[in-house]
Each structure stands twice: as structure tokens, then as C-alpha cells.
Amino acid sequence: MAIRFHEKTKEFHIFNGEVSYLMRIMENGQLENLYYGKAVRDKEDFSYLHEEAMRSQMSVCIPEPGILSMQYTRQEYPVYGTGDYRSPALTILQENGSRIVDFSYVSHEIYRGKKAITPLPATYTESEDEAETLEVTLHDDVTDTDMVLSYTIYEDYPVITRNVRFEQKGAQKIVLERAMSASVEFLDMDYELVQLSGAWSRERYVKNRRLDMGIQSVHGSNGTCSGAEHNPFIALKRPHTTENQGEVYGFSLVYSGNFLAQAEVSTFDMTRVMLGINPEDFAWELGQGESFQTPEVVMVYSDQGLNKMSQAYHRLYRKRLMRGTWRDKARPILLNNWEATYFDFNEEKILTIAKKAKEAGVELFVLDDGWFGARNDDYRGLGDWYVNLEKLPDGISGLSRKVEELGLKFGLWVELEMVNKDSDLYRAHPDWLIGVPGRFESHARHQHVLDFSRKEVVDHIYEMISKILQESSISYIKWDMNRYMTEPYSRGADASQQGKVMHKYILGVYDLYTRLTTEFPDILFESCASGGARFDPGMLYFAPQTWTSDDTDASERTKIQYGTSYVYPVVSMGSHVSAVPNHQMHRMTPIETRANVAYFGTFGYELDLNLLSEAELESVKKQVVFMKEYRELIQVDGDFYRLLSPFEGNDTAWMVVARDKSQAVAAFYQRMNKVNASWLRLKLQGLDADTLYEVSCDLAPSASYDDNIAKIYGLRTDEDMVKTYCAYGDELMQVGIPIDREDLNKKGGDFASLLYTLKKVTD
């Protein structure tokens, strides 16, 4: 790992053993990108990688006889108005109405380690030896503004992070109308754009499209979150790149609010990628002595396919984005009462469900919505964070201790950013709503958005919820957020400050998270946003896991979790076994398949175990035992590999392999069963070719179906139901595991799954 500045050629080389990033100071004082990709040897001069030629309609930005034109230059941080007619990374409105700026190189600093960009979340280091940082300061003379471009390269990851800071030194006020976090340019357009898109209950589906001339982008403009429609991530991959070979560049924004991720191809085939805060309805005024910090972009390069890109994100985000007590810990197996009771519960019903959960080996009981205020439905009560004593006469403090006396930890659901108009909070503070005076206030789920851009609102919510946490024995908080922002306007800000409202709202959310996680460091926080609408790196900095989707159907979850794994580690994915018929899809799936999907996440249950058959309850107990044995491997230690895509066929498969290659867990899922079909081979990845593994698969018939299945297949004992054999890693990866379709029939046929464990055979 190193960052070198070559004084003679005015070139910067940022590199480690896997990746290189080259740029230079041009004749006009701006920065040009020369190369980004697989690591190359450092040397004094790469200036010949700059290309320029006289072209028709070209505007030249330096005195003659120079021919430097910004339209045909791969810039590090482009602006509009001086000859570049593509989208800019920066727009600054000045007092005279001009938006023309000229940021030229002043100085740079190279230092070991990485600075925080508080109050924004970002990746970090625990030792200065883990990373090195370059900060390049550029200055615009007319506005007297500094711009600091920051680049950090990690020693052990193919990762470069980017962010930008603006410092206004001049007397005039300026307005940042666009301030992207990073801009990267590529010489050609021979790429496919990968994005993660969808909607409620089908979040983060993998979408690919070939780049062409013009702009291709995804964005979020929801105000309260990054959104279910598009994730703040894109990748550029070569057309023939697969999971295991080929080039791919990943770009992930560490931010939870409005964002823009864009790829623009010029008519000369150059590709410009930009990520940052969405400029729509963004206007940040800076006076003398004030500064603005953009969010961080995490860029990952892989020349070994999409799996390697994802594994780099997984390792970095597990170790150097997540923080606190739970960062390196496997997660407790929980049961959440939401789909078991919805709002209809009392203390007796809750304790009955909790007792059965304890019998099954569950470790944490979570009380979901309906415990506070007058909350008997979703029309009322939000904002009133005091217990409903009619339902829970001994309060949350009493219930939490009763649950703990059963031998379980206790968790609680909250939705701190929202309010119903039928609430004591709204009646006391109607001006605390986001909304425009005199305009209709759009509603969603019968609720409205509290103005978290105002400190007094955040203070009030903090005081209410911290009192509950202080008085009770709470080990887990599920922080939900169930609507997007409309009519974005703060009654607490004047006209010149309204362009700050949505970003300040997110800063308010981060502030409340910071206070609560600081005061209650042992609580496990899970973020949630009407399912997976807030699954982004910014949230993982505060809450090390996120509810992946409200859709708990096992078959649909293979798509959702597969797409989510492009960026986010398995341990960050909230995943539960729920009842059938599924409450979202109304589909029947085997209870084994529901667990086999949920294992590859935080794992838990969202049902009333008292309603299961004896056979199903025995399956649950086995599932809990299995997860306790393998959760360290799946959640903490292992590397995740995608094997078969649910977006490309009837089957899905993935696996987790221990870092030392000593053990693995692999899963195969099918959607619809097939009759008289061809043979199957499941080819694994990531194993040690020379290691002999014992491969095991439990073939017990699904407990969701009639016991006659066991009679049909002549299965008599547990030993009959486990298939075991030994094979070397090279065979398992090149030849694969033979899958007998009759085994899938035993598991229920449609939506059946098989789970394989692999352990190194020792002499």
C-alpha cells in the first residue's frame, strides 16, 4: 500500500497489491484521471496516458497554443461552463448569479490512517497501518473557496474511498447546488451497468443494462431514506464478467438519504460515473468560515468477478463500517410477535408465545408494534412513546423482566421519526411535522414525518425513548420507518435554509442513533424501513443489521437476499422463518426451506410456535440447534459465494466457506418441481482443492407435509435420512455435488431445498 506523488510529472499514484489509481495535475491546475484498475508498478512518469487532439466545436481552457479541452479530458471532479458539456460533479451559485468556478491545485497532504468525517458515517481504521490517505486542496480565487478531495486506500482490500469537503473562506455567501462525493472516468463504454432495484417486498433485484451514449442513472428522492426502489450502489462490469471471472468496479455510497448514482457516456465513448447527494431540492448555503462535508463513496475493483467484489464489501463493512459491541459477534436467535399477533395482544398472550420460543431454544423475544400510547391500529399513537398499561399493566419494564425470567432476552420495536395526527405529540406540537403551511399534507400509512432537521424535535424523541430504555431490561431495538417524505419543508427554518432540510433530516437521524448507541452500547440495533427501504451502508454504521424485506416468503427471499449480497454481508440481513400461508405471498413453502433461506442472515422466527404441529416444532428445534452450531461460520467468519442466480433460472444456490477452508455450508433451492427431468450437479466455490471434505445432507421429509412421505420413500431412522460421502475440494468445485431429484421430492417438490455441510476430514 502506498500513495506516491511524483514532483517532476505532478502525478499521484494510489495503489496496493490489487488496485492502482493514477491522476495528475493538469496545465490549468485541475486534476485528471489517468488510470483506475488492476495494480501496476509505480514509476515516475505516466503523463503519456493523457490524450488530447484538436476537434471541431472544441472549447480550449488554457491560452494558445495549448489545446486542453475539458470535454475530452477524464477529470477528477468536473464542473460546468468552461468547455465540458457533460454533467458536472459540482455546481456553486454565487451572489452575482454566476455558476462558473475554477478550482486549481494548491497543495496536498499524504498521511497514514483515515480521518472521520463526522457527523456522517464512514469506513474507518483502528490502526494507522491499515490505510493511507491523500487530501488534495484546490482553490477557487473568485469565491475564495477551498475544495478538498480525499482518497483513502486500504492495505488489505481492493478498496479506495472518496469524499469531498468545501470550506468557504470568502466574504460572499455561496450556495452548493450540486456536490457529488466522487466522480470517476473511464476511457471506454464497453460495460454493463449493474443496479439493485425494486419496490416494497421485492427490494434489490439485480438489474443489468448495457451502457450506451447518454445518461443512465438510479436515484432516491424519498427524503427519509435511500429507498426501496433503488439502492445507493452501482457497478460497471465487462459484458462477459461472471461471478468468478472478469472485471467489475463497484461504487457504494455511505448515506441514507436522497442520492444520485449516474453513468454518462460521451459521444467519444468515455464513461463518467458519479455518486453523491441527489441535487434535486438540495441547496446548501455557506457563509464565511462555514464548511460542508459530502458522504463517502466506497469503490471496489475486482478482476475476478462479482463474487470477489462482493466479498471485499462484505469484509470491509463487517470489520470497518459496523462498530460497537455487536460488530464481531454472531447474532441471537429471536422470535418477533408481529405476524403472530399484529396489534392484538396482551401480556398473557405475549408470555405464552415467549414460553414456547424458549422451549424451542430461541434466545431473544421481540415485542413489535402496538405497545405504546393508544396504539391499537396504525391510525393513532405514533409519537407517544409511553407504554399502554391496558395491554401491559406492568409496563415495558415489568414485561421485559418477566421475559428475562423465562431465560430469554427482550427486544422492542419503535418508529421514532413518525407521528400520527391522532396522538398527544401532534396535539402538543403540530408545527413539528414536515409540511408546507397552507398546503395539503400528504399522508402515508396514516402517518406523517417529524421534522428531524430541528434539534428540539430530536431532543424530545431522545428523552422519551431513552427513559423507556433506562427503566427496562432491553437487549435489542428494531427501529422502523414506514414512509417517505412529502411536501419537504421545515417550519423551523427560513426560506434560504429550505434546501438543507432533507440532508439535515438525515443528519438528525444519525444524531439520534449516535446518542442512543453511545448511551446504550450493549443494545443490538436493527434498522428497518417498511421492510428494506433503508438498507444502505450509512445505516450499518449505527445498526449492524437491517430488516431485509417485509416479504418473508422463502422463494421470494432468495431473490432479495441474493441481490442484497452484492454489497451487504450476510450478518447484516434480517431474515426470519414465518408462517404459511405466507402473509405477503399467500404461498405454502416447506418449513425446512424457510429455515434454509433464513440461515443466511441473522435468523429468527416471526410466528406463534404454539400453532405449529408437533413435527414442525421438532423441525424448529433442530433448526435452532443447527444455527447455533454454524452461525459463527455463516455470520462472522465465512466468505459468501453466489453459485446459481434466481434471476436466471429455476434454481438458486449459494454457500459460505470458512476463511481457513476447513468447513462450509451450501444451500440449493428450486422453485417449481420438474417431472422426468435431467440430472443436476451443484458446483461449489472457495474450497481448498487439496482438502478432503465430508459432505452431509439431511434428507428427512419436510415436516410441513404428511408423514406418509417417509413411508413412500422407505425412511425409517434418522440415519436413513442423512446422506454422507467424502470428496476433495477440486472435485466439489469442478465436478460438483450430484443432486438426486427424488431428494427434492422428499423435501416437498415445489419450493424444496437441500442444505449441505462440509467439514475437513482430519487424519
Side-chain angles (χ1 to χ4, degrees):
M1 171 192 68
I3 299 177
R4 303 273 172 77
F5 178 64
H6 300 294
E7 184 72 40
K8 183 178 179 180
T9 55
K10 293 183 168 43
E11 293 172 4
F12 296 96
H13 189 185
I14 304 169
F15 64 98
N16 60 21
E18 298 187 75
V19 62
S20 280
Y21 196 98
L22 287 163
M23 57 186 178
R24 74 174 187 119
I25 304 167
M26 297 184 289
E27 298 93 314
N28 65 349
Q30 296 178 25
L31 293 181
E32 176 186 25
N33 179 272
L34 295 175
Y35 171 77
Y36 173 34
K38 189 171 182 176
V40 297
R41 292 180 179 85
D42 184 53
K43 59 188 181 67
E44 182 72 24
D45 187 5
F46 292 95
S47 61
Y48 50 84
L49 296 177
H50 168 76
E51 297 172 327
E52 62 181 40
M54 200 67 187
R55 300 186 186 278
S56 177
Q57 298 178 319
M58 183 174 83
S59 299
V60 178
C61 64
I62 59 174
E64 295 184 292
I67 58 170
L68 181 65
S69 173
M70 294 296 96
Q71 178 71 2
Y72 308 105
T73 301
R74 299 188 300 277
Q75 302 166 66
E76 277 300 298
Y77 204 75
V79 299
Y80 175 79
T82 57
D84 185 354
Y85 303 100
R86 297 168 289 171
S87 298
L90 173 68
T91 305
I92 296 179
L93 176 63
Q94 297 146 60
E95 289 181 348
N96 65 359
S98 169
R99 291 176 173 83
I100 304 302
V101 294
D102 180 13
F103 282 93
S104 299
Y105 171 84
V106 174
S107 63
H108 71 270
E109 179 186 6
I110 299 172
Y111 57 87
R112 301 196 69 78
K114 187 176 188 290
K115 296 177 183 176
I117 57 172
T118 307
L120 289 167
T123 58
Y124 59 90
T125 59
E126 292 187 342
S127 165
E128 289 186 350
D129 295 332
E130 294 178 18
E132 198 163 23
T133 299
L134 166 67
E135 290 188 353
V136 183
T137 299
L138 302 101
H139 186 75
D140 178 65
D141 289 335
V142 174
T143 61
D144 196 11
T145 307
D146 277 351
M147 176 173 70
V148 182
L149 304 181
S150 179
Y151 305 76
T152 295
I153 185 164
Y154 278 85
E155 172 75 28
D156 297 328
Y157 305 94
V159 169
I160 296 172
T161 70
R162 298 273 305 273
N163 69 80
V164 187
R165 184 175 72 256
F166 297 91
E167 299 174 356
Q168 177 57 3
K169 296 183 174 181
Q172 72 160 299
K173 290 184 178 180
I174 62 172
V175 179
L176 300 177
E177 296 180 324
R178 175 188 286 248
M180 305 304 285
S181 295
S183 178
V184 183
E185 305 216 27
F186 298 88
L187 186 63
D188 66 275
M189 57 178 282
D190 188 26
Y191 294 99
E192 290 179 350
L193 177 71
V194 182
Q195 64 194 66
L196 304 177
S197 299
W200 177 83
S201 269
R202 50 180 174 85
E203 299 91 340
R204 290 172 302 287
Y205 279 22
V206 178
K207 304 292 182 181
N208 297 298
R209 48 177 157 157
R210 189 69 181 260
L211 287 187
D212 207 340
M213 292 177 184
I215 294 174
Q216 293 104 134
S217 68
V218 295
H219 74 278
S221 56
N222 309 308
T224 53
C225 59
S226 48
E229 292 73 23
H230 304 292
N231 199 255
F233 161 84
I234 58 173
L236 295 188
K237 75 177 186 72
R238 295 298 184 182
H240 301 295
T241 293
T242 67
E243 288 288 356
N244 303 304
Q245 63 182 11
E247 278 197 319
V248 59
Y249 298 83
F251 303 89
S252 174
L253 183 67
V254 187
Y255 188 59
S256 308
N258 294 351
F259 73 92
L260 174 65
Q262 176 177 296
E264 179 176 5
V265 178
S266 77
T267 54
F268 282 82
D269 297 351
M270 297 163 59
T271 300
R272 173 178 290 173
V273 173
M274 293 193 298
L275 278 82
I277 293 174
N278 193 332
E280 182 70 28
D281 208 8
F282 171 82
W284 198 276
E285 185 180 83
L286 288 179
Q288 190 170 30
E290 295 180 333
S291 63
F292 180 80
Q293 174 67 57
T294 71
E296 178 176 80
V297 170
V298 178
M299 309 191 309
V300 170
Y301 170 76
S302 166
D303 65 342
Q304 298 174 41
L306 290 159
N307 264 320
K308 185 179 177 184
M309 175 199 73
S310 298
Q311 289 166 4
Y313 277 121
H314 295 177
R315 293 175 187 173
L316 182 72
Y317 285 176
R318 279 189 308 196
K319 292 294 186 181
R320 293 298 178 262
L321 180 65
M322 298 177 181
R323 304 172 301 151
T325 302
W326 287 96
R327 186 189 72 179
D328 300 317
K329 289 184 178 180
R331 305 301 154 77
I333 297 171
L334 65 81
L335 185 141
N336 184 298
N337 76 295
W338 177 241
E339 290 190 9
T341 67
Y342 293 100
F343 295 105
D344 182 20
F345 63 82
N346 56 29
E347 184 178 279
E348 181 182 3
K349 183 183 286 189
I350 291 299
L351 290 175
T352 299
I353 295 172
K355 287 175 184 176
K356 184 61 72 171
K358 172 60 180 176
E359 290 176 20
V362 170
E363 298 161 312
L364 168 67
F365 177 84
V366 180
L367 179 64
D368 210 281
D369 197 354
W371 60 268
F372 53 90
R375 187 73 165 175
N376 294 312
D377 52 46
D378 56 8
Y379 286 85
R380 72 204 82 240
L382 276 178
D384 296 340
W385 299 109
Y386 49 83
V387 70
N388 183 331
L389 293 175
E390 292 182 6
K391 289 184 176 182
L392 305 173
D394 292 325
I396 291 299
S397 59
L399 177 62
S400 66
R401 289 178 174 85
K402 290 176 184 178
V403 169
E404 286 203 335
E405 287 171 1
L406 295 174
L408 295 163
K409 296 295 184 181
F410 181 78
L412 196 63
W413 177 98
V414 296
E415 189 174 2
L416 302 177
E417 302 155 61
M418 301 293 151
V419 66
N420 294 120
K421 287 193 173 181
D422 186 358
S423 67
D424 292 342
L425 179 63
Y426 176 76
R427 286 183 280 271
H429 301 283
D431 63 314
W432 282 6
L433 263 63
I434 291 282
V436 182
R439 302 286 185 186
F440 179 76
E441 294 166 342
S442 301
H443 51 88
R445 204 174 180 246
H446 324 299
Q447 64 192 51
H448 297 263
V449 182
L450 286 171
D451 188 356
F452 266 42
S453 72
R454 299 172 63 173
K455 185 177 183 298
E456 64 270 26
V457 178
V458 177
D459 288 346
H460 180 82
I461 298 299
Y462 166 74
E463 289 167 5
M464 293 191 76
I465 195 62
S466 63
K467 186 174 186 294
I468 293 286
L469 298 180
Q470 289 163 359
E471 294 175 347
S472 307
S473 184
I474 295 175
S475 301
Y476 164 100
I477 288 289
K478 181 177 182 179
W479 181 334
D480 207 345
M481 191 287 300
N482 279 298
R483 66 155 292 181
Y484 297 160
M485 189 185 297
T486 55
E487 296 82 44
Y489 185 92
S490 173
R491 293 174 172 90
D494 62 30
S496 68
Q497 302 298 304
Q498 293 301 325
K500 296 183 175 182
V501 169
M502 285 190 277
H503 181 56
K504 288 183 69 176
Y505 176 93
I506 297 299
L507 295 181
V509 173
Y510 290 160
D511 177 43
L512 184 54
Y513 257 115
T514 298
R515 296 195 216 181
L516 292 176
T517 56
T518 300
E519 184 174 355
F520 306 100
D522 294 328
I523 291 179
L524 172 59
F525 281 80
E526 176 172 295
S527 66
C528 175
S530 192
R534 209 184 233 172
F535 211 126
D536 58 68
M539 279 293 106
L540 291 185
Y541 182 80
F542 300 100
Q545 60 192 57
T546 301
W547 183 228
T548 313
S549 176
D550 281 342
D551 189 344
T552 55
D553 175 76
S555 182
E556 289 303 304
R557 268 302 188 100
T558 61
K559 296 179 183 178
I560 296 167
Q561 291 175 212
Y562 189 96
T564 303
S565 75
Y566 266 53
V567 190
Y568 305 102
V570 167
V571 72
S572 69
M573 298 185 209
S575 54
H576 295 172
V577 176
S578 60
V580 291
N582 177 264
H583 290 201
Q584 294 79 41
M585 293 293 295
H586 308 286
R587 176 184 283 155
M588 301 288 290
T589 56
I591 194 167
E592 290 82 7
T593 294
R594 284 173 265 160
N596 288 347
V597 175
Y599 288 144
F600 295 88
T602 59
F603 193 73
Y605 294 86
E606 192 143 345
L607 43 70
D608 186 347
L609 296 176
N610 293 286
L611 303 180
L612 298 184
S613 68
E614 284 299 319
E616 288 175 321
L617 190 58
E618 285 304 308
S619 285
V620 167
K621 292 177 181 179
K622 290 180 180 178
Q623 291 164 9
V624 170
V625 169
F626 175 88
M627 193 59 187
K628 288 178 180 178
E629 180 178 355
Y630 286 99
R631 59 184 166 186
E632 286 285 339
L633 166 64
I634 294 171
Q635 297 176 350
V636 179
D637 175 63
D639 287 326
F640 184 79
Y641 291 83
R642 293 179 296 271
L643 304 177
L644 295 172
S645 171
F647 301 103
E648 297 176 3
N650 189 61
D651 304 325
T652 304
W654 52 48
M655 65 185 297
V656 173
V657 183
R659 295 295 298 275
D660 66 2
K661 313 293 187 181
S662 64
Q663 60 177 333
V665 178
F668 174 88
Y669 316 90
Q670 74 171 9
R671 284 199 192 90
M672 308 312 295
N673 205 13
K674 295 183 179 181
V675 64
N676 194 25
S678 59
W679 288 271
L680 293 171
R681 293 286 185 274
L682 178 60
K683 294 183 179 180
L684 306 186
Q685 293 289 331
L687 303 174
D688 179 68
D690 299 322
T691 293
L692 183 65
Y693 293 93
E694 181 184 80
V695 183
S696 297
C697 181
D698 185 352
L699 299 179
S702 172
S704 298
Y705 297 94
D706 194 280
D707 289 341
N708 286 329
I709 291 178
K711 298 176 183 177
I712 291 171
Y713 289 100
L715 300 173
R716 298 174 301 281
T717 67
D718 289 343
E719 288 74 19
D720 292 331
M721 300 178 188
V722 178
K723 180 183 288 186
T724 300
Y725 73 101
C726 292
Y728 283 96
D730 57 355
E731 175 191 331
L732 293 167
M733 293 187 288
Q734 302 303 322
V735 181
I737 297 174
I739 295 178
D740 189 337
R741 288 194 178 273
E742 286 300 300
D743 293 340
L744 293 168
N745 289 333
K746 297 168 193 174
K747 291 295 187 179
D750 291 346
F751 311 112
S753 63
L754 297 170
L755 190 71
Y756 298 91
T757 59
L758 291 82
K759 294 184 178 180
K760 179 180 179 179
V761 177
T762 57
D763 295 332

